[in-house]
Amino acid sequence: MSGALVASIHIYPVKGEPGEELSVADVEDDGLAGDRRKRAPVQLVAAEDVDEDTRANFVVTMPGDALLAAVGSAVRIGVVELEVDAVPSGCPGVYARVRRPGKVSVGDTVEVIG
């Protein structure tokens, strides 16, 4: 999908505590630097699906149905590639594993690459 962008980036270093909003994040093999390790290395959510309980790492401007359709595909965010592999139960968005680490910035392009 062309035209989709990273709207915001978040890490959650301590379970149950408020997250931190970042303008740039280092995406490592096992998730975002500074984020606590959890069920999946990365969680993405569509901006239209965000609510006060959302704890995703990346909020993207891609429509929610397009993000869900990316399960089983890869997504490129800037230079980072993520393998979208699952839908969480009980919260919006998708889970992904890191295929290619690197830096991601707010405003980077989000593209499904297959």
Side-chain angles (χ1 to χ4, degrees), residues 26-95:
D26 287 313
V27 180
E28 302 170 338
D29 289 330
D30 56 352
L32 278 67
D35 198 23
R36 79 178 193 290
R37 300 305 173 228
K38 39 196 186 288
R39 187 166 303 151
V42 178
Q43 184 180 2
L44 299 93
V45 67
E48 65 189 31
D49 294 331
V50 172
D51 62 28
E52 67 274 356
D53 296 326
T54 300
R55 295 182 67 82
N57 300 112
F58 295 115
V59 177
V60 298
T61 62
M62 178 181 292
D65 59 345
L67 189 58
L68 290 175
V71 174
S73 299
V75 173
R76 182 181 297 127
I77 304 176
V79 299
V80 170
E81 288 185 13
L82 303 172
E83 186 72 33
V84 181
D85 58 1
V87 176
S89 60
C91 60
V94 296
Y95 288 145

